[in-house]
Amino acid sequence: MTAGAAALQTNIRPVKVPATFRAVSKQYPFRVRCAVGSPGNKRYNITLLPGDGIGPEVVSIAKNVLRQAGSLEGVEFSFREMPIGGAALDLVGVPLPEETISAAKESDAVLLGAIGGYKWDNNEKHLRPEKGLLQLRAALKVFANLRPATVLSQLVDASTLKREVAEGVDLMVVRELTGGIYFGEPRGIKTNENGEEVGFNTEVYAAHEIDRIARVAFETARKRRGKLCSVDKANVLEASILWRKRVTALASEYPDVELSHMYVDNAAMQLVRDPKQFDTIVTNNIFGDILSDEASMITGSIGMLPSASLSDSGPGLFEPIHGSAPDIAGQDKANPLATILSAAMLLKYGLGEEKAAKRIEDAVLVALNNGFRTGDIYSAGTKLVGCKEMGEEVLKSVDSQLPASV
């Protein structure tokens, strides 16, 4: 197995929740969704949310890869495409229609493309495309966001960091997704007694919200290299003081996991100074949003990184962490690999179909081993291809019975 193959497979592993987790926090065990289709085959209902910008391009490719990988492992899919974000605003006037919420809840998993664009930047807050994504996360109750960041051996030179710093990086950011300052109340803009406008938001976490995301992080670290770094701002924020207290209290239940704490400003520096020191990071909503984007650039491109958002029950939400990139939308320039790898996470984390997931992971590595690159990861000596051709190369590799480590 190549270093790249080992890194990718190490990076996206299923979180298996043990009996101790279920006993202590019985309302939060993850559930793998499953359904039976035709004799000998399993069938799953997948809601596709292409969204805006490059979203439709990359989701279309990921759908084809998902269908092909599934067919080779006796898995069938029924896809239902629904609007969200700017596309929904243009269609029905709201960023998340009720019909989209219903379809998502009724499915076995949800695959999202991207949301947002310049066209809607001046909309009122409740009519911004991004509001639809926040509403979707809340509706599905997906509180645990897993964002892997791995520097593949094939792409180490695409990183902006020196080779000796970037090579071998393999970390996972576990981000709390449905609490904190993005959802806290009160929030708003008002005029104070001096007639001046004041904007305010609330960073708030209850103990159970911290405990459940910490448990996911401890379990994730246990399945990786056994190191967990909790990132907070406990020297300033009361919410972070409670965060650190609760995470520390849970550590005794995981004696095989080495727990450390780090302030978020230091963590931001350490990620670019010595990223290999990190294995698993757990943090709140806003810090996780920022740090996972920073970690993505260590890998060379935000276009390479998938994510999984999981709940205690019900369908998971799987999406690339990149944005809608409206400046290149429709030009066949997008990198579809993050969405394709999100489809692999959907299979592994959402449906428990690890063989089909591995086919996709291996296919991505084969395409990279063969030298194919989209513009964001291109370097001298490789072949520059567009979004469609990269997808076609991955599809070819999905069919191949050759292992990725050649």
Side-chain angles (χ1 to χ4, degrees):
M1 180 179 290
T2 64
L8 184 56
Q9 291 166 13
T10 298
N11 210 342
I12 30 185
R13 295 179 176 177
V15 177
K16 297 180 180 179
V17 183
T20 53
F21 180 21
R22 295 194 295 270
V24 178
S25 187
K26 62 183 180 181
Q27 66 268 49
Y28 300 128
F30 292 121
R31 178 191 300 171
V32 171
R33 312 275 287 185
C34 62
V36 178
S38 56
N41 280 18
K42 287 173 284 186
R43 176 178 289 274
Y44 299 100
N45 296 315
I46 309 297
T47 296
L48 300 176
L49 306 177
D52 310 319
I54 63 173
E57 299 171 65
V58 295
V59 166
S60 175
I61 289 170
K63 172 185 174 182
N64 293 336
V65 173
L66 196 57
R67 179 187 285 123
Q68 185 66 10
S71 69
L72 295 169
E73 298 295 342
V75 177
E76 299 175 0
F77 298 102
S78 176
F79 296 103
R80 184 179 182 186
E81 188 171 310
M82 300 297 291
I84 190 174
L89 282 165
D90 289 349
L91 189 65
V92 296
V94 294
L96 184 65
E98 286 296 328
E99 293 79 5
T100 298
I101 296 175
S102 296
K105 288 182 174 180
E106 292 167 3
S107 64
D108 295 302
V110 180
L111 182 64
L112 172 71
I115 285 178
Y118 308 132
K119 179 179 179 181
W120 308 281
D121 278 353
N122 295 322
N123 284 18
E124 293 182 43
K125 179 184 170 184
H126 69 287
L127 294 177
R128 297 286 297 273
E130 296 79 7
K131 189 69 174 180
L133 179 56
L134 294 177
Q135 292 171 341
L136 179 65
R137 290 169 177 170
L140 295 179
K141 299 179 181 179
V142 285
F143 69 88
N145 182 229
L146 278 60
R147 291 189 171 191
T150 300
V151 177
L152 301 178
S153 59
Q154 300 92 333
L155 298 179
V156 65
D157 291 326
S159 175
T160 54
L161 299 182
K162 295 178 180 178
R163 171 179 278 267
E164 59 267 27
V165 176
E167 195 167 29
V169 169
D170 172 23
L171 62 90
M172 177 77 79
V173 178
V174 180
R175 169 191 173 192
E176 200 289 323
L177 199 60
T178 56
I181 201 166
Y182 289 173
F183 292 90
E185 297 288 348
R187 60 191 298 147
I189 300 174
K190 67 177 183 179
T191 303
N192 66 15
E193 61 274 13
N194 298 321
E196 183 179 18
E197 281 193 312
V198 177
F200 55 96
N201 295 86
T202 302
E203 167 74 357
V204 57
Y205 274 105
H208 80 272
E209 293 176 302
I210 301 169
D211 290 356
R212 66 182 181 180
I213 192 65
R215 290 186 184 282
V216 173
F218 275 111
E219 294 296 338
T220 301
R222 176 177 274 174
K223 297 299 181 182
R224 290 171 52 86
R225 299 190 301 278
K227 294 175 61 179
L228 176 62
C229 179
S230 178
V231 174
D232 58 42
K233 192 61 176 170
N235 59 335
V236 175
L237 302 176
E238 282 76 10
S240 280
I241 293 172
L242 179 62
W243 180 283
R244 183 171 292 208
K245 175 184 175 182
R246 301 300 301 188
V247 173
T248 301
L250 288 174
S252 62
E253 299 177 24
Y254 300 89
D256 53 331
V257 176
E258 177 188 339
L259 174 65
S260 62
H261 299 275
M262 191 175 290
Y263 295 142
V264 64
D265 44 356
N266 186 29
M269 291 188 292
Q270 295 297 328
L271 270 174
V272 294
R273 189 189 73 83
D274 181 20
K276 286 194 286 285
Q277 69 182 282
F278 295 105
D279 171 20
T280 305
I281 294 172
V282 63
T283 191
N284 68 12
N285 204 338
I286 188 170
F287 296 163
D289 191 3
I290 296 166
L291 293 178
S292 58
D293 279 2
E294 180 187 5
S296 74
M297 293 314 299
I298 298 170
T299 70
S301 173
I302 201 169
M304 287 297 301
L305 299 187
S307 75
S309 300
L310 308 173
S311 68
D312 57 335
S313 63
L317 174 64
F318 303 85
E319 59 181 305
I321 76 167
H322 62 65
S324 62
D327 53 318
I328 62 169
Q331 300 176 42
D332 195 34
K333 292 181 178 180
N335 184 344
L337 295 182
T339 311
I340 291 171
L341 290 172
S342 294
M345 293 189 83
L346 181 155
L347 287 165
K348 182 175 286 189
Y349 286 102
L351 306 180
E353 298 293 345
E354 296 193 34
K355 289 183 179 180
K358 187 176 185 301
R359 277 189 178 272
I360 294 178
E361 295 167 3
D362 286 354
V364 168
L365 293 171
V366 168
L368 292 173
N369 283 338
N370 290 338
F372 296 100
R373 304 286 190 273
T374 48
D376 57 314
I377 55 174
Y378 174 77
S379 61
T382 61
K383 181 180 179 181
L384 179 64
V385 296
C387 182
K388 292 179 181 178
E389 187 173 350
M390 180 62 90
E392 290 167 0
E393 291 301 325
V394 174
L395 270 174
K396 291 177 187 176
S397 301
V398 167
D399 282 327
S400 173
Q401 295 301 309
L402 292 174
S405 51
V406 293

